[in-house]
Amino acid sequence: MGSKTNASGYRARRPLSIFAVLGLCCFFYLLGAWQRSGSGKADKLALKVNNLMTGCTVLPNLSFESHHSDVEIVRPDVLKAKAFKPCDMKYTDYTPCQEQDQAMKFPRENMIYRERHCPAEKEKLHCLIPAPEGYTTPFPWPKSRDYAYYANVPYKSLTVEKAVQNWVQFQGNVFKFPGGGTMFPQGADAYIDELASVIPIADGSVRTALDTGCGVASWGAYLLKRNVLAMSFAPKDNHEAQVQFALERGVPAVIGVLGTIRLPYPSRAFDMAQCSRCLIPWTSNEGMYLMEVDRVLRPGGYWILSGPPINWKTYYQTWKRSKEDLKAEQTKLEELAESLCWEKKYEKGDIAIWRKKINDKSCKRKSPNSCDLDNADDVWYQKMEVCKTPLPEVTSKTEVAGGELQKFPARLFAVPPRIAQGIIPGVTAESYQEDNKLWKKHVNAYKRMNKLIGTTRYRNVMDMNAGLGGFAAVLESQKSWVMNVVPTIAENTLGVVYERGLIGIYHDWCEGFSTYPRTYDLIHANGLFSLYQDKCNLEDILLEMDRILRPEGAIIIRDEVDVLNKVKKIVRGMRWEAKLVDHEDGPLVPEKILVAVKVYWVGTSKNKTSTEE
């Protein structure tokens, strides 16, 4: 009897359990339908992102256009993050590793004090660099080549010091750049025309150039319309803001100097290099500076010198030097060039041009001591040496050392010699082509998110972890240029970038970049924070990105989701409007994309420096 009672009770409760489960299922179904309808507040953002990735529309709530007005960054429903305060207005043009006060602690000989000297960890600023009052978006290219707003770079000293040389003129609320230079007062175009009578600039043979002591980079500015990319550099010195002017114009440039440290470029990088009254003592230190130019100059590349001692018979009195001194300097210069296997091709008036031989087999004179070829690209904080960097070996006198390049633009997607020869570990011709396909796909996705990418709105672009240069290659056009940065702790691929006809630089992102604030319109970082998360403070890297990005500039960070969550937490306290979106292949891919806009804001006299950690 007992067992019958239990069984009947079990049978009685069973329908009740079934009805309870069915009721719960119906409840959760209705709840899900309500959420899906858009009435559920918690799901709105996910629905918008899903629509973004399937509908290929511009990111919701992110405006990439110029507004020049403040935007609320942190929504009330988001957990409050550490807020970064504005720096004091005295830091408006702060360049961490080239600050004057820091520089004056170092010796002046060989320009050591003008080299990079970065602040110690405890001296780093942990605040947002303010823009000056009145700051506005620069003129679009190509107008920016000739005009810049005074409010953005409020320094007039060059308009006085270089008035007769047509560097820059002040007109109302703008600067005008007539295209002149110390050695080309008639304009950069006329100067380049003379160079082109000797150097094959027009046919794509010359694509990358180096301008040492560039001034406001008018040479590089006017080379751009001839499809030549010049990497210009000049020290941060008494010629106030010359590199800042160059970047404001939309011309590639960095703060730099030929001192005691190797230039931050790979060997055999540039098709052409020039010194136009750059005042570099080429014959001092046993020709060490000329040997460094030789290291970065491609076989068959050209070197141009316009300035002392060229045409010394005309200028010796102006230069306040004796005929004997200048004649001896030119003789020594000619001997150095010949020992480096350079052949003089032209000298007329103020200009002399040499061409580097395509290999070492045809050198007429005995070269200086040879450097170690294996360390030719090991340059970060490495001392220059009095030695010639040997070229890769060849089998005949007609073979180009290191491999012959195709003319631009064909070389942009052709397999670079360094890859064809197996010099880059793990990279083959096939994987290189796959990398190009991948970046075409990535950039197309970026353009769907931000329709201003590929327009003149983003003129100065930086890729913080450039790899093989695929991002820059896909973006290549006259509308913009890309500074391809290869981190010093990453695989050394910068030589490949130059062989493609692109430009770039080595850098350690634990330190400040060699540029002024507000000099880039768009910054791209692929895998950068995964690379550095155990090397230095991610907060410092993000603050440096903020320093060099213009107000209302854009940021694209591609990385693993765990790392991007750390980045997003920091970004919440910065004046960025940011969103995390799925990979273009869908939400199951662990790699995500953080897209952001730096909002417009300017400093005021009330700004106080924040050094809080």
Side-chain angles (χ1 to χ4, degrees):
M1 293 290 293
S3 62
K4 287 184 179 180
T5 304
N6 290 341
S8 61
Y10 173 74
R11 284 194 295 269
R13 286 194 299 271
R14 195 173 176 186
L16 291 175
S17 300
I18 293 171
F19 283 123
V21 171
L22 287 173
L24 286 172
C25 289
C26 291
F27 172 76
F28 285 117
Y29 174 80
L30 291 172
L31 179 63
W34 176 68
Q35 290 271 19
R36 187 70 179 169
S37 70
S39 302
K41 183 177 179 182
D43 201 45
K44 283 184 178 178
L45 181 58
L47 188 59
K48 286 182 179 179
V49 171
N50 185 61
N51 288 339
L52 161 72
M53 300 315 292
T54 57
C56 300
T57 58
V58 177
L59 277 173
N61 302 331
L62 269 185
S63 177
F64 297 99
E65 297 284 0
S66 299
H67 298 291
H68 302 320
S69 59
D70 290 318
V71 179
E72 180 67 25
I73 301 304
V74 182
R75 300 188 308 275
D77 59 323
V78 175
L79 289 175
K80 190 166 177 127
K82 169 189 170 182
F84 294 93
K85 298 177 182 178
C87 301
D88 191 284
M89 283 298 289
K90 69 181 180 180
Y91 293 109
T92 296
D93 290 324
Y94 180 60
T95 54
C97 299
Q98 281 98 0
E99 278 302 283
Q100 182 73 4
D101 291 344
Q102 182 82 349
M104 298 313 293
K105 300 175 184 177
F106 293 87
R108 300 176 76 88
E109 61 181 330
N110 293 327
M111 298 293 282
I112 293 173
Y113 75 118
R114 294 295 183 201
E115 295 178 327
R116 288 175 57 84
H117 303 291
C118 300
E121 188 66 33
K122 63 181 180 181
E123 297 172 342
K124 289 182 178 179
L125 296 182
H126 291 271
C127 51
L128 304 176
I129 302 298
E133 290 191 58
Y135 180 89
T136 189
T137 302
F139 291 105
W141 183 265
K143 187 175 181 179
S144 66
R145 185 194 69 182
D146 302 324
Y147 295 95
Y149 290 108
Y150 170 75
N152 292 6
V153 193
Y155 304 110
K156 296 182 183 178
S157 64
L158 282 177
T159 65
V160 178
E161 290 182 35
K162 303 295 181 181
V164 299
Q165 297 167 10
N166 286 329
W167 276 31
V168 57
Q169 300 166 356
F170 181 62
Q171 299 179 352
N173 67 335
V174 300
F175 290 110
K176 181 179 179 180
F177 301 90
T182 306
M183 299 309 296
F184 40 93
Q186 302 306 312
D189 254 343
Y191 178 81
I192 295 169
D193 284 340
E194 185 172 356
L195 301 182
S197 68
V198 181
I199 302 171
I201 292 174
D203 71 353
S205 299
V206 172
R207 165 63 177 175
T208 58
L210 180 68
D211 192 1
T212 57
C214 64
V216 294
S218 286
W219 188 64
Y222 280 82
L223 278 173
L224 284 166
K225 70 179 184 179
R226 302 174 194 239
N227 222 11
V228 175
L229 270 177
M231 171 69 78
S232 301
F233 71 82
K236 185 178 180 182
D237 60 6
N238 58 322
H239 287 169
E240 201 167 36
Q242 52 189 330
V243 166
Q244 192 174 18
F245 273 125
L247 286 155
E248 193 69 16
R249 298 173 71 184
V251 181
V254 292
I255 302 171
V257 65
L258 264 170
T260 63
I261 303 297
R262 285 179 159 188
L263 294 174
Y265 314 114
S267 58
R268 311 191 310 278
F270 297 99
D271 304 313
M272 175 171 64
Q274 83 134 6
C275 161
S276 176
R277 192 78 164 93
C278 64
L279 301 181
I280 294 170
W282 296 111
T283 58
S284 65
N285 295 321
E286 300 179 70
M288 183 172 68
Y289 301 137
L290 208 60
M291 294 174 191
E292 179 64 0
V293 171
D294 178 72
R295 182 185 69 82
V296 301
L297 194 62
R298 279 194 56 75
Y302 296 85
W303 186 62
I304 305 134
L305 177 60
S306 55
I310 305 303
N311 205 5
W312 56 267
K313 293 178 182 177
T314 301
Y315 293 114
Y316 73 94
Q317 289 180 319
T318 303
W319 296 336
K320 298 180 180 179
R321 293 177 62 184
S322 69
K323 291 182 179 180
E324 294 75 19
D325 181 33
L326 285 163
K327 182 179 179 181
E329 183 178 336
Q330 176 141 1
T331 300
K332 188 174 181 180
L333 181 67
E334 303 274 7
E335 292 173 351
L336 278 168
E338 193 173 351
S339 72
L340 292 171
C341 213
W342 295 6
E343 181 182 1
K344 195 170 192 180
K345 291 291 187 180
Y346 180 85
E347 182 173 350
K348 184 177 180 182
D350 299 340
I351 299 175
I353 302 173
W354 285 263
R355 189 182 187 203
K356 182 176 178 177
K357 295 291 184 69
I358 62 171
N359 57 55
D360 286 340
K361 281 188 174 293
S362 54
C363 295
K364 294 180 181 178
R365 285 176 62 101
K366 183 180 178 181
S367 297
N369 295 332
S370 289
C371 305
D372 184 353
L373 180 59
D374 292 337
N375 295 327
D377 293 349
D378 182 14
V379 300
W380 191 245
Y381 289 125
Q382 296 298 313
K383 292 285 187 181
M384 271 190 271
E385 298 178 28
V386 180
C387 58
K388 181 186 185 306
T389 302
L391 293 174
E393 293 185 4
V394 296
T395 56
S396 71
K397 288 187 177 182
T398 59
E399 184 182 349
V400 178
E404 189 170 3
L405 296 177
Q406 295 188 33
K407 295 180 179 180
F408 196 84
R411 72 190 262 195
L412 186 60
F413 288 103
V415 178
R418 279 173 167 89
I419 291 177
Q421 296 168 7
I423 294 174
I424 309 301
V427 182
T428 64
E430 291 75 22
S431 64
Y432 167 74
Q433 299 294 5
E434 286 300 315
D435 187 74
N436 287 332
K437 290 178 184 177
L438 182 64
W439 280 107
K440 286 178 183 178
K441 177 180 175 180
H442 287 340
V443 172
N444 284 336
Y446 296 158
K447 288 182 176 179
R448 293 195 295 267
M449 297 175 193
N450 181 347
K451 295 186 182 299
L452 296 176
I453 293 174
T455 72
T456 56
R457 174 63 182 84
Y458 299 143
R459 171 67 185 168
N460 300 359
V461 182
M462 175 181 283
D463 192 355
M464 296 177 72
N465 187 18
L468 301 175
F471 171 78
V474 177
L475 277 183
E476 163 57 29
S477 78
Q478 288 283 326
K479 296 176 182 177
S480 64
W481 58 270
V482 180
M483 180 67 75
N484 292 280
V485 182
V486 171
T488 56
I489 61 172
E491 190 67 52
N492 184 3
T493 55
L494 194 53
V496 168
V497 170
Y498 275 93
E499 287 180 342
R500 300 185 73 165
L502 304 168
I503 58 171
I505 194 169
Y506 294 113
H507 183 65
D508 181 357
W509 284 110
C510 292
E511 301 179 355
F513 192 73
S514 293
T515 192
Y516 286 84
R518 303 172 302 281
T519 46
Y520 285 86
D521 304 296
L522 171 66
I523 298 177
H524 176 253
N526 173 47
L528 182 83
F529 290 92
S530 288
L531 184 67
Y532 274 97
Q533 66 174 332
D534 298 322
K535 301 296 187 297
C536 54
N537 196 334
L538 300 188
E539 176 183 300
D540 291 340
I541 299 176
L542 287 162
L543 287 173
E544 179 63 3
M545 292 172 71
D546 183 81
R547 183 185 75 86
I548 66 181
L549 187 68
R550 286 178 174 150
E552 297 182 311
I555 303 102
I556 301 173
I557 304 174
R558 178 183 289 270
D559 220 313
E560 296 297 315
V561 64
D562 291 342
V563 178
L564 283 185
N565 281 329
K566 296 177 184 178
V567 169
K568 189 177 180 183
K569 183 179 179 182
I570 300 169
V571 165
R572 283 175 182 166
M574 300 169 68
R575 301 189 181 200
W576 293 8
E577 187 176 53
K579 287 191 182 298
L580 192 63
V581 301
D582 284 328
H583 189 279
E584 55 264 27
D585 288 341
L588 298 181
V589 181
E591 186 178 82
K592 305 295 179 184
I593 305 167
L594 182 76
V595 289
V597 181
K598 177 180 175 179
V599 303
Y600 178 86
W601 66 280
V602 298
T604 69
S605 57
K606 296 179 181 179
N607 284 3
K608 298 297 180 184
T609 303
S610 170
T611 55
E612 297 175 354
E613 293 290 333

